[in-house]
Amino acid sequence: MTHSPLPVLFVSHGSPMFALDPGQTGPALQRMGARLRERGDLRAVLVLSPHWMSRGIEVMSHPQPATWHDFGGFPEPLYRLQYPAPGAPELAQQVLELLQAAGLPAQANPERPFDHGAWVPLRFLLPAADLPVLQLSLPAQMGPRELYALGQALAGLREQGVLILATGSMTHNLREFMGGRPEQDAPAAPYVQEFARWVEARLLAQDSEQLFDYRRQAPHAVRAHPTDEHYLPLYFALGAAGWGQPGATEPEYFNREVMYSYLAMDAIAFH
């Protein structure tokens, strides 16, 4: 049976509490994960998370990465959660070679554990934790165009059974989130919806000119992302998916929930 390339996913992971209080987003990820498993060709996962930032490009190479609870001040049950997926040292070497061939030197990191930007959404998306997973760092110096190129360099993995997963958050103003302490199902702040739906409109229109210049073009961009590390993984996903190129298909939004008024939990599949 011949399969089309695996989709590329951008998934908002929100607060660490998402792991215990999944809202509508957890079930949406579970349904997507079930669809991916039904294909029969999924063999590994490559994750880029904003919780691993580095000066250069680094690739996780540990054969059995630990689950890192890289946060503080949350309920004790959260710290008992584990995601015991195996690592992927052989795939890590392949990623290093692909990046080198694209003029993007990278190095292996044999110590890196899974951060919560990876394991929290993966607990819903692929709960069996039986597939090899490796993480790629988010280089601190890269902007939208550079991250798009980074994704392009690894796009071929989609045809080899590797799911490319970028995680972050469609909006991420922690000062407002922590200051207001709204309930999980509190109404969305208007600016959160305005920013998220602007991004959706640009994605559907394949409008790369505006999307790459989102900081100046998007409504409330700086308020939605006082720092933009949780938004930038989207561009890595776009590059890996070939978004904006001739023949690119329309993105599939499979979640648009807003949690705690300020955290847009958009999840998008690029086929």
Side-chain angles (χ1 to χ4, degrees):
M1 181 178 179
T2 301
H3 291 279
S4 59
L6 281 163
V8 178
L9 303 185
F10 172 80
V11 170
S12 299
H13 64 251
S15 159
M17 284 300 294
F18 171 46
L20 296 177
D21 297 323
Q24 301 170 24
T25 304
L29 294 184
Q30 289 173 334
R31 290 190 294 271
M32 175 55 72
R35 285 171 55 186
L36 293 170
R37 296 302 293 253
E38 286 171 1
R39 290 172 51 106
D41 61 339
L42 178 59
R43 68 176 183 89
V45 186
L46 170 66
V47 186
L48 184 138
S49 156
H51 294 284
W52 183 13
M53 296 189 73
S54 59
R55 289 186 177 181
I57 306 170
E58 297 187 26
V59 181
M60 173 190 285
S61 60
H62 197 290
Q64 192 67 54
T67 301
W68 185 19
H69 301 85
D70 52 327
F71 41 74
F74 290 92
E76 193 274 338
L78 191 56
Y79 299 89
R80 295 201 298 265
L81 298 179
Q82 297 290 314
Y83 191 76
E90 292 182 3
L91 179 57
Q93 183 58 41
Q94 184 181 359
V95 169
L96 289 168
E97 292 170 359
L98 287 170
L99 294 174
Q100 181 69 37
L104 297 166
Q107 61 182 14
N109 185 321
E111 307 295 332
R112 180 73 188 184
F114 295 133
D115 62 61
H116 79 272
W119 67 261
V120 168
L122 281 170
R123 288 188 75 252
F124 296 104
L125 188 69
L126 297 167
D130 58 340
L131 292 173
V133 178
L134 79 158
Q135 286 192 236
L136 179 70
S137 71
L138 175 63
Q141 76 279 11
M142 286 192 174
R145 294 182 186 278
E146 291 82 8
L147 284 165
Y148 186 94
L150 181 63
Q152 283 183 306
L154 300 176
L157 295 174
R158 299 172 58 201
E159 299 178 2
Q160 301 174 34
V162 179
L163 175 67
I164 296 177
L165 171 64
T167 86
S169 194
M170 186 53 71
T171 59
H172 196 254
N173 189 317
L174 286 186
R175 177 172 292 183
E176 293 184 347
F177 167 65
M178 299 298 289
R181 292 287 183 175
E183 295 296 319
Q184 187 193 66
D185 60 353
Y191 85 87
V192 168
Q193 291 284 32
E194 290 173 25
F195 177 84
R197 302 287 66 81
W198 181 92
V199 173
E200 180 174 1
R202 302 287 82 70
L203 287 173
L204 293 175
Q206 304 276 332
D207 188 347
S208 57
E209 183 175 344
Q210 287 209 36
L211 203 62
F212 282 127
D213 192 30
Y214 91 97
R215 205 77 178 160
R216 292 191 298 176
Q217 302 291 341
H220 317 291
V222 176
R223 186 178 180 189
H225 292 281
T227 60
D228 62 357
E229 74 287 338
H230 273 70
Y231 176 71
L232 289 174
L234 174 63
Y235 294 96
F236 172 74
L238 296 180
W243 175 88
Q245 302 299 317
T249 59
E250 185 174 289
E252 175 195 354
Y253 269 73
F254 61 98
N255 190 65
R256 294 183 181 86
E257 182 179 21
V258 175
M259 288 184 173
Y260 309 104
S261 291
Y262 301 112
L263 300 180
M265 300 292 290
D266 294 34
I268 315 164
F270 300 93
H271 297 280

